[in-house]
Amino acid sequence: MTELRVVVTQLAATAHLNLMVPLGWALKAAGHEVVIAGQPDIMPAVKQTGLTGVAVGEEARYAERLAELAPEETIYGSGYDITETRPEALTYEYVRDCLAAFASPLALDVNTDASAFDGLVSFCRSWRPDLVIWDSMTFTGPVAAAACGAAHARTTIGRDHWGRLRELFLRMRAERPEAADEDPVRDWLTAKLEKYGCGYDDDLVLGQTTIDSIPSWLRIPARYDYLPVRYVPYNGPGTIPAWLLPEPERPRVCVTLGLSYQEVWERRAELGFTDLLDAVDGLDVEVVALLAPSSVPAGITLPDNVRIPGFVPLDPVLKTCSAIVHHAGTGSTLTALHNGVPQIIVPHTLHDEAQVAEAVDAYGLGVHLPPDRASAHTLRTELQRILTDTTFAERAERARQEMQEAPTPHDLVQDLEALVLRHRRSVGSTAAS
């Protein structure tokens, strides 16, 4: 196929960018031109990927802006939870109003303001991409695709609760003739599209296709087909330190709270630092805590078996580990699965981390340790259990092998090329009629 121009865009957070990079490089390696478009404060991280970037709009200042808001001024204090799964809670009114709360200044408009929409639309109208790939929390992508006539594909950045709730809303609305004209997401998107002379289309909500790197057993069932892709870890640039090269002399355990929590949500961490140190003090293990050295509380003395090296990419660390303790973020969970490492998950309470932890536990790959049970004693007990019970490692290895059966980003390139061709034919047939 002739060279395509592809724009990749995502939330201005390093963890979101990292999920997009392997696909960007697969497209680049296939001969296509790829530009990562984002707000200016994500550009330093974009430069480190080796792909070309373009800054659009004003700085997101994501962490700073969230810190300025009272809880009730954010989606997390709104009373609506997009990860809600209890049937008795999912009334039509709740589902409708939950979508309205997310498609509003409480949530999605915090991610990308008007300047980000203006900037991306302006760039796309000038550069004329054939394809826009956008993460599911960043609606500048589909709006810009509509404004420049490009095909577009959505990518999940975790389990697809937005798609689940959207499907549920449409099914429930179809049973209520009196609600036929209700659609808060359509109304929200229409207002943005009209600014650029574009009309609403349903595929702008969930993409013309959805790329998903979540393993099938962890994925939320949907009534439309995902475009599955193998998760390929990209945890940011770095070098393998000398201490990581020799075979560990005793079981190595990694601890991470993930990039997003260090950049944006560190104040919400559920894993207590002192509990962690007390849990591993004296154990015959080596602990590598991928936390900022500045996060060590004043006056704390690290046990001899704990190392806090600062940033090291998670993937090469996990290749030497016997276990990981983490918070259930997408990058941490999938990188652990990719490496077949048993997991202890002390989930944060931001999104669906507890649901992810429950699924990992139910699949036999690790232990879900709710925050209210995550004392030094229980953490120590569960860590000893997954290090001595070999069934955890055996199941983790099987899950790793299952992930390897998914199409690679390289394989996905042909599907995206086909999407562009279908879009061109559709646009051509519409113009002819």
Side-chain angles (χ1 to χ4, degrees):
M1 187 176 189
T2 57
E3 180 184 75
L4 300 179
R5 287 186 169 187
V6 182
V7 166
V8 176
T9 190
Q10 71 290 308
L11 181 68
T14 306
H16 288 239
L17 169 66
N18 288 354
L19 292 171
M20 310 290 269
V21 170
L23 181 55
W25 265 113
L27 287 157
K28 183 77 170 175
H32 301 305
E33 193 171 356
V34 178
V35 170
I36 298 181
Q39 290 142 297
D41 34 349
I42 197 66
M43 284 299 110
V46 171
K47 290 179 182 178
Q48 292 181 324
T49 70
L51 293 166
T52 302
V54 62
V56 295
E58 299 173 1
E59 288 193 348
R61 299 188 303 110
Y62 196 45
E64 181 182 340
R65 288 163 60 209
L66 285 172
E68 293 170 351
L69 297 173
E72 62 272 15
E73 296 177 294
T74 73
I75 191 63
Y76 305 107
S78 68
Y80 293 103
D81 179 3
I82 202 168
T83 72
E84 178 64 72
T85 57
R86 294 171 299 163
E88 66 273 18
L90 292 172
T91 64
Y92 172 75
E93 290 75 19
Y94 181 90
V95 172
R96 177 198 62 201
D97 295 346
C98 184
L99 289 171
F102 271 80
S104 80
L106 282 175
L108 294 175
D109 284 335
V110 174
N111 300 343
T112 44
D113 63 11
S115 74
F117 280 88
D118 290 344
L120 187 58
V121 168
S122 177
F123 172 70
C124 287
R125 282 179 165 171
S126 172
W127 197 60
R128 308 298 302 178
D130 301 284
L131 174 65
V132 176
I133 301 175
W134 51 283
D135 92 12
S136 57
M137 291 181 66
T138 313
F139 280 81
T140 49
V143 169
C148 72
H152 62 97
R154 181 178 72 120
T155 66
T156 60
I157 46 82
R159 300 171 78 233
D160 191 13
H161 290 283
W162 175 261
R164 172 185 66 89
L165 220 62
R166 177 67 178 172
E167 284 190 339
L168 180 58
F169 167 74
L170 294 176
R171 292 202 305 272
M172 297 174 85
R173 188 187 65 177
E175 299 169 354
R176 293 165 172 78
E178 72 282 2
D181 195 45
E182 293 184 343
D183 192 338
V185 178
R186 177 202 61 204
D187 297 343
W188 176 76
L189 264 177
T190 296
K192 297 187 181 302
L193 291 159
E194 286 177 345
K195 183 177 182 180
Y196 310 109
C198 302
Y200 171 83
D201 191 287
D202 279 339
D203 70 18
L204 298 173
V205 180
L206 298 180
Q208 292 171 330
T209 191
T210 294
I211 301 165
D212 190 25
S213 59
I214 302 294
S216 58
W217 58 268
L218 188 55
R219 183 179 301 141
I220 295 173
R223 295 196 177 190
Y224 62 92
D225 292 331
Y226 287 106
L227 199 56
V229 64
R230 184 188 308 174
Y231 173 75
V232 175
Y234 172 78
N235 314 120
T239 57
I240 298 177
W243 57 264
L244 194 57
L245 295 175
E247 188 77 16
E249 297 179 358
R250 48 187 173 172
R252 180 173 287 157
V253 178
C254 177
V255 177
T256 179
L257 299 180
L259 290 171
S260 289
Y261 286 89
Q262 294 191 59
E263 289 182 356
V264 181
W265 298 109
E266 189 170 5
R267 67 187 185 278
R268 297 177 65 112
E270 302 287 354
L271 179 59
F273 197 90
T274 302
D275 284 340
L276 169 66
L277 298 185
D278 289 345
V280 301
D281 192 9
L283 279 185
D284 188 26
V285 298
E286 175 192 350
V287 177
V288 177
L290 298 181
L291 309 173
S294 61
S295 66
V296 180
I300 292 291
T301 300
L302 296 180
D304 292 340
N305 62 342
V306 176
R307 182 193 303 269
I308 300 182
F311 177 78
V312 181
L314 181 60
D315 184 47
V317 173
L318 286 186
K319 292 188 185 309
T320 72
C321 287
S322 301
I324 180 174
V325 180
H326 68 97
H327 61 297
T330 300
S332 300
T333 303
L334 295 186
T335 305
L337 292 173
H338 173 84
N339 284 286
V341 178
Q343 308 175 41
I344 293 180
I345 302 180
V346 183
H348 288 304
T349 55
L350 184 66
H351 194 55
D352 71 341
E353 292 91 347
Q355 295 175 22
V356 171
E358 289 171 2
V360 169
D361 193 314
Y363 213 59
L365 310 177
V367 175
H368 172 203
L369 191 57
D372 60 359
R373 289 185 49 231
S375 66
H377 173 72
T378 55
L379 184 58
R380 186 184 188 95
T381 299
E382 296 298 354
L383 183 57
Q384 290 175 311
R385 182 159 75 98
I386 70 168
L387 289 174
T388 55
D389 185 344
T390 59
T391 58
F392 287 106
E394 291 165 359
R395 291 167 183 158
E397 173 59 22
R398 286 200 295 271
R400 186 195 70 80
Q401 293 174 5
E402 291 171 8
M403 287 182 71
Q404 299 303 305
E405 297 173 2
T408 67
H410 169 77
D411 299 326
L412 202 67
V413 170
Q414 289 187 339
D415 295 294
L416 295 175
E417 291 170 344
L419 172 66
V420 171
L421 290 177
R422 290 195 302 272
H423 179 74
R424 287 174 178 171
R425 287 195 292 267
S426 174
V427 170
S429 63
T430 301
S433 61

